[in-house]
């Protein structure tokens, strides 16, 4: 198994995207995979985020500023272990649909931020044997746009590798894996709501929490795939398994209650 297929005790950089998902990713990386996590965002976005796990190292950085990102990379490699994995998220637009000017501006910022991440962090990754950079897209169209231009990003990685002064095997551009994770925006950013009188349990059970979605994203990252599609809905098998488990626990609870109350159990 490639060392890129494991997350255990990795040093991971997570950038701000969907705030609740960012928090869930950090929590899951620390609690389940025992990772050292660095979270990067702007001060405005950090103020909106709920309290992160104390084990997360938080840095304020505007990714559209090339000099600031370069300084951040230097600071991180002085304060942390070499970063093996970067999980980069686009900043979601407020509301379901934004104005065209806002969309274009946000898209430009996302591209610029991703390029700055590559130019600033890839050289150190190459020196330490490689790594993986994952871009999370909250719409299929955004994912397709990144996939269509992925060869150009790999050309940039090759250019960085060739310009590096390191001549060891660790400077091989193929040691850097770029991959894309995508999901539908309306499923990707919304937390499941409590079932109302008019909703059904089936509708409610099909939704995922941010923690469950983070688990699926990380499961997809633990592969060599360049394109990972994450479903924000449970499969029929998962739904049935979950329902059966809940029924089993409910039945066990009733059985224990009857035992404690010394009520005879009628067998039919």
């Amino acid at each position: 198994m490639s060392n890129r297929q494991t997350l255990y005790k990795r040093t991971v950089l997570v950038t701000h995207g969907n705030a609740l998902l960012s928090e869930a990713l950090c929590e899951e990386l620390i609690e389940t995979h025992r990772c050292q996590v660095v979270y990067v965002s702007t001060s405005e976005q950090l103020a909106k985020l709920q309290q992160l796990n104390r084990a997360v190292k938080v840095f304020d950085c505007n990714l559209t500023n090339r000099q600031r990102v370069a300084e951040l990379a230097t600071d991180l490699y002085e304060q942390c272990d070499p970063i093996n994995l970067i999980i980069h998220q686009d900043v979601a637009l407020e509301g379901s649909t934004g104005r065209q000017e806002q969309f274009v501006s946000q898209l430009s910022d996302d591209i610029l931020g991703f390029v700055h991440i590559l130019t600033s962090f890839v050289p150190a990754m190459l020196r330490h044997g490689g790594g993986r950079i994952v871009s999370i897209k909250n719409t299929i169209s955004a994912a397709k746009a990144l996939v269509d231009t992925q060869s150009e990003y790999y050309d940039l990685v090759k250019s960085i590798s060739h310009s590096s002064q390191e001549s060891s095997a660790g400077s091989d551009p193929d040691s850097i894996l770029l991959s894309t994770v995508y999901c539908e925006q309306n499923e990707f950013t919304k937390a499941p709501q409590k079932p109302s009188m008019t909703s059904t349990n089936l509708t409610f059970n099909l939704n995922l929490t941010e923690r469950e979605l983070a688990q699926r994203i990380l499961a997809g990252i633990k592969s060599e795939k360049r394109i990972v599609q994450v479903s924000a809905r449970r499969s029929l098998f998962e739904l049935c398994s979950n329902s059966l488990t809940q029924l089993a626990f409910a039945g066990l609870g009733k059985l224990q209650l009857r035992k404690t109350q010394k009520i005879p159990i009628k067998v039919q």
Side-chain angles (χ1 to χ4, degrees):
M1 177 183 291
S2 167
N3 63 355
R4 291 185 300 204
Q5 290 181 290
T6 179
L7 292 173
Y8 187 64
K9 289 189 175 181
R10 293 283 184 175
T11 304
V12 186
L13 184 150
V14 179
T15 67
H16 180 89
N18 175 276
L20 294 178
L21 179 59
S22 300
E23 185 176 7
L25 284 169
C26 292
E27 295 286 348
E28 187 68 19
L29 285 165
I30 291 173
E31 296 176 9
T32 303
H33 302 284
R34 302 295 186 266
C35 293
Q36 179 182 6
V37 178
V38 175
Y39 185 77
V40 177
S41 185
T42 62
S43 55
E44 179 182 356
Q45 292 162 350
L46 287 172
K48 298 178 181 179
L49 196 66
Q50 297 179 16
Q51 184 65 38
L52 285 171
N53 189 307
R54 291 184 179 181
V56 178
K57 295 185 177 181
V58 179
F59 289 82
D60 182 357
C61 179
N62 183 352
L63 297 180
T64 62
N65 186 321
R66 180 177 180 179
Q67 181 178 354
R68 181 67 190 95
V69 178
E71 293 172 352
L72 172 69
T74 301
D75 293 342
L76 290 183
Y77 280 102
E78 289 178 352
Q79 301 180 35
C80 310
D81 293 333
I83 293 175
N84 314 112
L85 170 65
I86 296 176
I87 302 177
H88 175 61
Q89 297 184 69
D90 290 346
V91 179
L93 292 174
E94 296 293 335
S96 58
T97 57
R99 294 180 301 177
Q100 184 175 0
E101 297 83 358
Q102 184 184 12
F103 173 79
V104 173
S105 175
Q106 184 63 66
L107 181 62
S108 300
D109 287 346
D110 290 334
I111 294 173
L112 195 59
F114 191 62
V115 169
H116 289 165
I117 286 175
L118 293 180
T119 56
S120 299
F121 286 91
V122 165
M125 278 187 169
L126 290 170
R127 289 195 299 271
H128 292 91
R132 184 167 185 178
I133 301 177
V134 180
S135 180
I136 298 180
K137 301 294 184 181
N138 55 13
T139 61
I140 294 177
S141 58
K144 185 177 184 303
L146 181 62
V147 171
D148 289 344
T149 57
Q150 201 167 52
S151 61
E152 298 178 23
Y153 289 115
Y154 268 106
D155 288 341
L156 177 58
V157 171
K158 290 179 181 178
S159 176
I160 295 171
S161 176
H162 294 328
S163 62
S164 174
Q165 297 180 356
E166 299 290 334
S167 58
S168 62
S171 61
D172 180 9
D174 291 333
S175 66
I176 304 294
L177 177 64
L178 305 181
S179 57
T180 305
V181 175
Y182 73 92
C183 181
E184 283 285 5
Q185 183 180 25
N186 58 348
E187 295 178 353
F188 187 67
T189 58
K190 289 184 178 179
Q193 303 296 322
K194 293 182 179 180
S196 63
M197 296 297 293
T198 58
S199 67
T200 64
N201 289 332
L202 177 64
T203 303
F204 175 71
N205 287 335
L206 282 174
N207 290 323
L208 296 176
T209 64
E210 277 83 6
R211 190 64 177 262
E212 289 174 318
L213 189 53
Q215 291 170 351
R216 292 196 175 200
I217 289 173
L218 294 177
I221 289 176
K222 290 170 60 178
S223 72
E224 291 290 323
K225 295 180 179 179
R226 294 188 177 183
I227 305 174
V228 178
Q229 179 181 4
V230 175
S231 173
R233 295 194 178 276
R234 293 185 175 94
S235 66
L236 181 60
F237 174 78
E238 289 176 303
L239 176 62
C240 293
S241 298
N242 184 59
S243 299
L244 289 173
T245 302
Q246 291 178 350
L247 288 173
F249 276 118
L252 182 60
K254 290 180 180 179
L255 178 61
Q256 292 174 339
L257 178 62
R258 288 188 176 189
K259 285 184 177 180
T260 56
Q261 294 178 345
K262 296 181 180 181
I263 299 175
I265 301 175
K266 182 179 180 181
V267 180
Q268 299 186 11

